Amino acid sequence: LRADGTLAWTPPAGEWIILRTGYSLTDEKNHPATPEGTGPEVDKFDARAVRAHLDAYMKPVTEALGGLVGAKGLRYLLTDSWEAGQENWTARMLAEFRARRGYYATRFLPVLAGRVVDSAERSDAFLWDFRRTLADLVAENHYGTITAFAREHGLGYYGEATGAAWPTVADGMQAKSLTDIPMGEFWAMPFGGKPAAFQGAPSMEFPADIIETRSTAHVYGKPLVAAEALTSSLPQWSSTPWKLKWVVDKYLAMGVNRLVLHTSPHQPDDTHRPGLTLGPFSQVFTRHETWGEMARPWIDYLARSSFLLQQGTPVADVLYFYGEGAPSGVPYRDARDPADLRGYGFDYVNADALLRLARVENGRIAFPGGARYRLLVLPRGLDRMTLPMITKLRELVTAGAVVAGPKPLASPSLTSESRAVRAIADAMWGEGTAPRAMGKGRVYRTADVTAVLRDERVVPDFAYDTASAHADLRFAHRRLADGDVYFVTNQGEQDVASSISFRTSGRAPELWDAISGRTLPVAYRMERGVTHVDLTLAPYASSFVVFRALTTATTSTLVPASERTLTALDGEWTLRFPPGASTPATIRTGIGSWTDRSEPDIRYFSGAATYERTIDVPSEWRSTGERIVLDLGRVGDVAEVRMNGKAAGATWAPPYRVDVTGQVTAGRNTIEIIVANTWQNRFVGDLQPGATKHAWTNAPNGGGFTSANELTPATPLTPSGLLAPVRLLAIRDATRR
């Protein structure tokens, strides 16, 4: 082409089509951002462009912070999930393609315009190579460049790479592997899937993104599995720890062990309450949250659970290979998908990790961080594989790995000869349906993973029997240097009482309660390498089962726990409302929801109010070996207890009990119970005809994401206050016989 765009070429005889190929900007702008911070997205395939962007973006930050960058100040960069649209070209594309694929792309460029070059099969193979190059570029030149930049400045990098739902042409695990801390996201939203018991509670989203993040951390040897946690478009300010717990527990069982809460906007004053939100998004968690001053036990639960799940190495039996092409990543699945194996842990793996990191140790496919797998499963419908990949599979099987899945028939890429691929496949799979031995390993044709595990004599890592067909227990397993840790959550609406089987033996189990921080013994029996533990879990309850203490005893029984009611705190309480509320300063009231009151200022009250009364405690109530516990029955929504002016603790989850052993004394005792609900009732009250507005937020009508989620004058009020009779109990914990 001449400088003016005309073609300097004399074609040979015949008819020719002249196809001009060029590229231009996508005009994609970064969003959301202030006008001053808005501009075209950077070319994420060009490491130099990404670096220039980072230098310009971070320069004012690092100059302002000075020595407070690194260990003594700002410690991490974070990129959110991909919202940058689609990109498929960069200025150095032809050189990048040649370096990665080993041949020139120029004569195949008409394929990008829908033309066939040479043949349909070869054109498809070029497109496979082209998309694979795009995935390599976004991983290496975007995410890899950010990580390198961060390290130069003494920072780490959290990367939601590339995000949920395959938002661009990428290899999800490859992109996440080039971050310091791989990160996914899960939401708390009212868009279907929530249990009936949680009216107005959030439901989960994006499990595939979290499984991809977990798998990346496990096979690439990264200790942390981070998640943008509890993002939401609920009516804002309506969340409670109990409504959020079941969502968190589900994702802890998926392997998350570093929760990054979304979101805590800065609240600059005390006049505009509850205050600022991130528009319609986020589970707002700030100092103006009604229960914010009582949030410590909720955060303790999240911290304890995360800490325990960061210990040791992950345990899983099955490794699913999701293929070599792009876009690629952990597929979205439903509950009927056989990939969700009941009782067996599983991860996914990409081509990069298999080719570079996988080896075989004692018949298991092993990775540098300690992850070990009994079985590698190939994708259903797989019929093509590159020569380097099938060569790697042959190496693994020869060394002792077990592989299950369909036989590859050809290469998807112009970089591999299909005949060479078929030759290795014929040797590995052979003919017929029987498993084929090769070296120390075996190859199965079947897609029935459960059948392969049975044939390989791999017993479930976790199993339970229950009379309820709807019981839904989830688990995560970490192996310690001196034992095992299992996290178990009941994701159903019914109690589950079962003998649960754990694939470990020789160590006595204990129950570790991440809500209270207490540990308790539990009955068990051991046989054939499995420990059976008698465990009861209430709806949406969870527990850690920890095996550390060495024992030769194969069975252990318990003297069961017991409790007795010392007194029922019936009758009226003094209820004090905070200064500045439109409510009376105090009222006398019995147990029941504030929303049942006739006075509008109490009916629509949102905030923390204090119940108070005195009781006489006989000295004989205090018995050696018993704990004295205040049972609040049912609470709307979070409560903190003070006995005789001393803080005893807070409660946010059933059974809403607080241990007051250290605060109660013989004689007269003053009990204070501070109860906080959510802002929802106040918002609904403000929407009543002629009402005086009491609450302010920048998210209208409670910040619903759609009109269906917005609050209205007719939105039901949430039960608030002490909702069930209060009792003082004496409890004797279970002990081993």
Side-chain angles (χ1 to χ4, degrees):
L1 287 176
R2 298 188 182 94
D4 64 357
T6 59
L7 181 62
W9 178 58
T10 301
E15 293 187 358
W16 292 81
I17 294 172
I18 308 299
L19 178 65
R20 180 176 182 267
T21 300
Y23 62 95
S24 65
L25 300 181
T26 67
D27 199 36
E28 186 74 28
K29 301 293 194 301
N30 64 303
H31 60 279
T34 61
E36 298 85 353
T38 301
E41 284 282 357
V42 71
D43 178 358
K44 293 172 172 54
F45 294 161
D46 188 332
R48 294 171 299 180
V50 174
R51 177 60 193 241
H53 171 74
L54 290 167
D55 286 337
Y57 186 87
M58 289 298 295
K59 182 178 179 180
V61 177
T62 55
E63 287 181 347
L65 290 176
L68 297 178
V69 176
K72 295 183 179 180
L74 178 69
R75 295 183 59 197
Y76 293 98
L77 299 181
L78 183 150
T79 56
D80 200 355
S81 54
W82 186 281
E83 297 178 16
Q86 296 288 342
E87 182 183 0
N88 63 3
W89 197 264
T90 185
R92 291 177 47 80
M93 187 68 200
L94 294 176
E96 295 278 15
F97 185 94
R98 173 79 171 93
R100 285 169 168 75
R101 305 280 85 85
Y103 67 94
Y104 292 100
T106 308
R107 67 180 298 270
F108 288 97
L109 291 182
V111 176
L112 301 180
R115 309 277 178 167
V116 173
V117 175
D118 294 341
S119 67
E121 182 178 8
R122 286 179 63 79
S123 296
D124 280 344
F126 165 73
L127 287 175
W128 192 96
D129 290 339
F130 185 78
R131 289 189 290 264
R132 184 64 252 178
T133 301
L134 299 183
D136 292 345
L137 290 175
V138 75
E140 296 168 18
N141 291 349
H142 178 54
Y143 294 106
T145 299
I146 298 173
T147 299
F149 174 89
R151 290 176 181 173
E152 288 176 21
H153 290 79
L155 302 171
Y157 171 40
Y158 286 79
E160 291 186 47
T162 53
W166 293 10
T168 191
V169 178
D171 178 329
M173 289 184 64
Q174 179 192 23
K176 285 179 168 67
S177 76
L178 292 172
T179 67
D180 288 319
I181 302 174
M183 186 169 172
E185 65 180 288
F186 67 87
W187 283 52
M189 294 179 66
F191 294 163
K194 64 180 180 294
F198 286 129
Q199 298 302 318
S203 66
M204 55 176 286
E205 297 283 335
F206 309 135
D209 188 34
I210 295 299
I211 294 170
E212 183 177 277
T213 305
R214 170 192 83 199
S215 300
T216 303
H218 292 176
V219 302
Y220 282 94
K222 297 175 182 287
L224 296 179
V225 181
E228 172 192 318
L230 299 171
T231 312
S232 173
S233 60
L234 292 161
Q236 301 288 27
W237 309 96
S238 62
S239 299
T240 69
W242 174 237
K243 289 180 180 179
L244 298 171
K245 178 182 182 292
W246 74 277
V247 188
V248 168
D249 286 352
K250 183 167 284 189
Y251 283 95
L252 291 175
M254 287 186 197
V256 171
N257 61 18
R258 171 61 60 85
L259 297 158
V260 183
L261 296 180
H262 190 299
T263 299
S264 185
H266 175 57
Q267 305 299 338
D269 65 58
D270 293 325
T271 302
H272 299 86
R273 295 168 63 91
L276 299 170
T277 71
L278 188 66
F281 298 105
S282 86
Q283 177 265 311
V284 187
F285 182 56
T286 79
R287 67 191 184 96
H288 287 337
E289 179 60 86
T290 49
W291 47 269
E293 295 297 329
M294 305 181 197
R296 175 62 183 269
W298 164 236
I299 298 303
D300 283 346
Y301 174 77
L302 301 180
R304 288 172 179 142
S305 299
S306 299
F307 178 78
L308 285 174
L309 290 171
Q310 291 169 16
Q311 306 308 303
T313 57
V315 177
D317 294 303
V318 180
L319 188 62
Y320 290 97
F321 177 43
Y322 64 53
E324 299 176 82
S328 57
V330 171
Y332 279 69
R333 309 179 319 280
D334 61 35
R336 296 166 295 178
D337 194 299
D340 286 319
L341 294 168
R342 181 168 174 170
Y344 295 95
F346 67 92
D347 283 320
Y348 279 81
V349 68
N350 63 344
D352 175 67
L354 264 185
L355 287 170
R356 293 195 302 109
L357 304 177
R359 62 189 188 280
V360 175
E361 293 181 358
N362 299 320
R364 291 168 172 77
I365 299 173
F367 292 88
R372 305 286 187 270
Y373 303 92
R374 306 284 190 100
L375 173 64
L376 175 64
V377 181
L378 305 182
R380 288 175 291 173
L382 176 75
D383 63 353
R384 293 173 185 270
M385 187 175 287
T386 65
L387 182 59
M389 179 54 65
I390 199 166
T391 302
K392 179 67 174 186
L393 292 187
R394 180 177 62 184
E395 171 192 318
L396 294 174
V397 172
T398 302
V402 179
V403 173
K407 173 183 175 181
L409 303 175
S411 168
S413 167
L414 289 176
T415 65
S416 295
E417 286 289 339
S418 290
R419 286 179 298 179
V421 171
R422 282 195 296 271
I424 296 176
D426 288 343
M428 291 180 64
W429 271 263
E431 302 296 333
T433 59
R436 184 174 179 86
M438 172 176 273
K440 298 179 180 179
R442 287 165 297 286
V443 178
Y444 289 78
R445 285 179 177 268
T446 180
D448 188 342
V449 178
T450 302
V452 175
L453 291 171
R454 183 174 57 249
D455 288 350
E456 294 293 321
R457 295 181 174 83
V458 182
V459 301
D461 191 20
F462 174 85
Y464 61 96
D465 295 316
T466 178
S468 171
H470 303 290
D472 184 9
L473 298 187
R474 310 288 179 92
F475 82 104
H477 180 189
R478 307 283 298 188
R479 177 156 296 136
L480 311 175
D482 60 347
D484 293 87
V485 172
Y486 287 83
F487 174 74
V488 183
T489 171
N490 179 8
Q491 288 287 302
E493 299 180 51
Q494 300 174 345
D495 288 340
V496 173
S498 179
S499 175
I500 301 179
S501 302
F502 300 90
R503 196 177 61 203
T504 186
S505 189
R507 297 180 186 270
E510 290 182 313
L511 300 184
W512 289 29
D513 181 1
I515 292 181
S516 67
R518 301 177 67 238
T519 64
L520 295 170
V522 64
Y524 68 86
R525 60 184 174 86
M526 299 177 187
E527 56 184 6
R528 294 191 293 274
V530 172
T531 302
H532 305 275
V533 175
D534 296 331
L535 188 61
T536 298
L537 287 171
Y540 309 109
S542 60
S543 181
F544 285 89
V545 185
V546 179
F547 298 82
R548 286 209 306 173
L550 290 170
T551 182
T552 57
T554 58
T555 63
S556 176
T557 59
L558 297 181
V559 177
S562 64
E563 67 177 53
R564 55 192 178 96
T565 299
L566 299 175
T567 185
L569 302 180
D570 300 323
E572 290 190 333
W573 295 69
T574 296
L575 179 59
R576 299 196 310 269
F577 292 95
S582 59
T583 57
T586 63
I587 62 172
R588 295 287 293 173
T589 183
I591 300 301
S593 177
W594 304 337
T595 59
D596 294 335
R597 302 281 301 202
S598 60
E599 307 94 322
D601 287 337
I602 299 177
R603 175 177 169 81
Y604 297 115
F605 172 76
S606 289
T610 303
Y611 293 82
E612 183 178 339
R613 69 184 297 169
T614 59
I615 63 168
D616 289 320
V617 175
S619 58
E620 58 266 24
W621 280 5
R622 296 184 64 88
S623 173
T624 302
E626 287 184 316
R627 296 182 295 116
I628 298 180
V629 173
L630 192 64
D631 180 353
L632 305 185
R634 192 161 60 92
V635 174
D637 290 283
V638 181
E640 182 177 274
V641 173
R642 292 180 176 272
M643 289 285 292
N644 303 317
K646 298 178 181 179
T651 178
W652 51 271
Y656 297 109
R657 291 178 171 183
V658 175
D659 191 320
V660 296
T661 307
Q663 292 78 30
V664 70
T665 61
R668 177 145 297 213
N669 289 257
T670 300
I671 301 174
E672 295 173 281
I673 306 172
I674 307 165
V675 180
N677 58 355
T678 72
W679 279 101
Q680 181 166 315
N681 292 349
R682 184 68 271 166
F683 287 145
V684 173
D686 287 359
L687 293 172
Q688 301 305 309
T692 300
K693 301 293 191 237
H694 293 81
W696 183 93
T697 179
N698 64 307
N701 293 342
F705 184 60
T706 67
S707 59
N709 298 329
E710 291 180 351
L711 301 176
T712 72
T715 298
L717 302 180
T718 60
S720 304
L722 293 177
L723 306 176
V726 178
R727 300 178 300 155
L728 201 63
L729 308 176
I731 296 178
R732 189 179 301 275
D733 294 323
T735 56
R736 293 200 189 279
R737 293 188 187 276

